[in-house]
Amino acid sequence: MLNMQFDIKRMSALKEIILYLRDGGSLEALQIHFEQHFNDVRPLDLLLMQLELINGDYGVTMEDVKKFSSMHDQLSINDKENTFINYATNHPVQIFKAENTAFQVLLNQIQQLLESIEKNPDQTIGDELTQHIFHLGEFHNHYNRKEKLFFPIMERYGHIAPARTVWRKDDRIRALYQALKKQIVRLPLDVERVRMRYTAFAREFKEMIFQEETIILPILKTIFSQSDWLAVANESDAFGYAIIEAPAEKWTPTVEKKTNDTPHAENLVMGGGGHLTTEEAQLIFNNLPLEITFVDKNDLFKYFNEITEASEMMLVRTPSSIGRNVANCHPPKSLMKVMTIIRDLKTGRRTSESMWFKMKGKYIHITYKSLFNDEGEFLGILEYVQDIQPFFELPSEVKMGLSEL
């Protein structure tokens, strides 16, 4: 089935309906127009189109979509695909919603503190305001789970464009938050500038909460299977949670089908240097002091080793991303740089590329290397990541012997 988010004709028709509502059009005329264009459209596809309209350059605002959403019942939209499900409190959907509720509470507290300072600038509550704004920064965990766990599964079902447009909006919200954070730590506290930065951030942040609650989660609830939600639950710890505590127990389906996905241990021929069993090769890869990723010749993320828990990785990788196009694994803002490196490695313009940076008190070194077989055929790209901080901390004296027991 053609993904409805790419149906330009219907997208334009939905835009016209939404703008007609903005201009105060009558419900009767709206119903006729809606039935003419959307009588055979699934609620899922309608949600996907709304997601595209509010995040793309269509001139449709969040208020427009809110007004349209409030008309759903009156427009007789048949939503049998997404009937009410009573999810357990530790289900990823409930956790995501609980975080959004916590965000709303924290936003209200920040708003009250700002109003109090504006009324009485001599109050000593600047530190409390700063703490609240820094605490709000945990939304990064919330967004990372959405982008690195929800989106890869959406893409497997063919819904690539909505994930990219939402991720782009997430990055804008991140930038607005960074501007707010920089302003709040400047002394003396400029309340007017803090208010300006906060207002810009809070407006778009609240709009994203609305998107998640009324559009994104209903889409996921429609298309995700129990095994999809189980993968999300199992991999969420790698990215952490926002404001709320991590669930005491991971969610599991009521009925869990047992499968054995462990590959049969067989010999792997290693050209000229002997051979290894699958088990031996896996142990070697997982004990190298490097995080290894392999992207195949079709730009698909195919493998990563597991030298530590996902939450402790320098660059977090989880099984949900396996099979994902490498372009979709990176934020939209860095896509051009990533695709340039991939193009150059594929064409042989360069055989490798390295970069290094400091993260969480460590120097991280990354190398991307193109892989060609003996016939000159490009097979993929190997990425290896290493914590090189220990090398900076080596003592000046030479160590040649073994450590004492």
Side-chain angles (χ1 to χ4, degrees):
M1 176 180 291
L2 177 67
N3 287 336
M4 297 302 299
Q5 65 264 31
F6 299 119
D7 190 330
I8 304 301
K9 184 177 178 181
R10 275 181 165 148
M11 185 85 77
S12 297
L14 181 59
K15 175 184 173 180
E16 287 179 14
I17 288 174
I18 290 175
L19 295 182
Y20 179 74
L21 266 178
R22 178 201 290 179
D23 296 333
S26 69
L27 181 61
E28 293 77 13
L30 186 66
Q31 182 71 55
I32 294 171
H33 194 48
F34 185 84
E35 290 178 355
Q36 179 183 354
H37 292 281
F38 298 97
N39 191 46
D40 61 340
V41 174
R42 300 177 305 170
L44 169 63
D45 297 319
L46 200 59
L47 288 168
L48 289 165
M49 282 189 280
Q50 290 177 70
L51 198 61
E52 175 66 20
L53 284 173
I54 55 179
N55 290 296
D57 188 19
Y58 298 93
V60 175
T61 68
M62 184 63 66
E63 291 304 315
D64 294 331
V65 173
K66 285 181 180 179
K67 191 169 185 179
F68 176 74
S69 297
S70 68
M71 303 290 287
H72 276 199
D73 291 339
Q74 298 176 60
L75 288 173
S76 304
I77 297 175
N78 185 14
D79 195 359
K80 291 182 179 178
E81 295 182 13
N82 198 23
T83 54
F84 177 77
I85 301 174
N86 186 22
Y87 292 107
T89 56
N90 62 344
H91 189 282
V93 167
Q94 295 294 72
I95 291 172
F96 212 66
K97 290 168 72 71
E99 286 178 334
N100 278 336
T101 299
F103 292 147
Q104 295 277 21
V105 171
L106 193 52
L107 288 170
N108 290 338
Q109 291 172 341
I110 293 171
Q111 176 70 21
Q112 291 170 9
L113 286 171
L114 278 171
E115 290 175 356
S116 181
I117 292 175
E118 286 167 339
K119 290 176 182 177
N120 184 4
D122 295 330
Q123 293 183 86
T124 56
I125 55 175
D127 289 345
E128 186 179 358
L129 177 63
T130 302
Q131 289 172 5
H132 278 53
I133 288 176
F134 272 70
H135 194 196
L136 188 60
E138 292 185 14
F139 81 87
H140 292 301
N141 297 341
H142 182 88
Y143 280 15
N144 280 335
R145 294 206 321 278
K146 176 173 59 175
E147 295 155 357
K148 304 296 179 63
L149 297 180
F150 292 169
F151 288 175
I153 300 173
M154 282 184 67
E155 290 160 11
R156 287 182 211 156
Y157 288 104
H159 307 300
I160 298 173
R164 300 306 291 172
T165 56
V166 173
W167 198 338
R168 199 171 290 112
K169 181 62 71 69
D170 286 352
D171 280 345
R172 172 170 169 76
I173 293 170
R174 286 185 175 103
L176 290 170
Y177 174 75
Q178 289 304 319
L180 169 63
K181 203 165 74 164
K182 286 179 181 177
Q183 189 63 54
I184 194 69
V185 296
R186 288 180 180 171
L187 296 175
L189 186 66
D190 188 331
V191 180
E192 185 177 346
R193 286 186 174 274
V194 170
R195 162 64 77 179
M196 181 182 68
R197 298 290 190 192
Y198 173 74
T199 299
F201 164 77
R203 180 178 61 253
E204 298 209 22
F205 188 66
K206 289 177 180 178
E207 287 181 355
M208 183 53 69
I209 290 175
F210 173 82
Q211 281 195 57
E212 291 174 352
E213 296 284 327
T214 62
I215 301 178
I216 296 174
L217 284 179
I219 288 172
L220 304 186
K221 287 157 70 175
T222 300
I223 64 177
F224 278 24
S225 66
Q226 291 249 65
S227 60
D228 293 330
W229 286 122
L230 180 59
V232 172
N234 287 339
E235 298 169 24
S236 288
D237 285 352
F239 301 98
Y241 302 89
I243 313 295
I244 67 171
E245 294 290 332
E249 294 183 3
K250 284 190 176 66
W251 174 83
T252 55
T254 305
V255 179
E256 186 177 351
K257 185 178 180 180
K258 299 293 183 180
T259 59
N260 182 12
D261 296 327
T262 304
H264 178 67
E266 57 185 29
N267 287 339
L268 303 177
V269 177
M270 311 294 283
H275 63 271
L276 298 169
T277 66
T278 302
E279 182 181 28
E280 289 167 343
Q282 185 178 37
L283 285 170
I284 290 172
F285 285 140
N286 290 344
N287 281 279
L288 292 173
L290 305 166
E291 292 179 5
I292 295 174
T293 300
F294 177 66
V295 175
D296 72 9
K297 61 183 178 182
N298 298 313
D299 298 338
L300 298 181
F301 178 30
K302 197 168 185 179
Y303 169 82
F304 69 93
N305 65 340
E306 298 177 288
I307 64 173
T308 185
E309 295 291 330
S311 59
E312 300 299 321
M313 290 180 180
M314 290 171 280
L315 301 181
V316 177
R317 302 160 178 83
T318 60
S320 286
S321 293
I322 296 297
R324 195 181 193 190
N325 189 291
V326 67
N328 297 329
C329 295
H330 295 83
K333 63 182 180 181
S334 64
L335 183 59
M336 184 66 70
K337 180 170 70 174
V338 170
M339 298 314 293
T340 298
I341 293 174
I342 290 175
R343 180 201 63 201
D344 289 354
L345 291 173
K346 276 185 173 183
T347 59
R349 187 165 182 260
R350 43 183 153 182
T351 57
S352 66
E353 180 63 52
S354 296
M355 61 183 68
W356 52 93
F357 51 87
K358 200 159 190 178
M359 181 176 69
K360 298 179 181 178
K362 302 176 182 178
Y363 272 104
I364 307 300
H365 190 278
I366 304 177
T367 299
Y368 305 93
K369 183 170 179 55
S370 55
L371 302 181
F372 291 85
N373 63 16
D374 292 340
E375 288 72 41
E377 178 190 2
F378 174 75
L379 295 184
I381 296 172
L382 176 68
E383 173 195 78
Y384 47 97
V385 183
Q386 187 173 16
D387 173 12
I388 59 174
Q389 185 65 36
F391 298 127
F392 291 104
E393 299 169 357
L394 287 173
S396 57
E397 64 270 18
V398 175
K399 180 181 184 295
M400 299 288 289
L402 298 175
S403 299
E404 293 183 6
L405 296 176

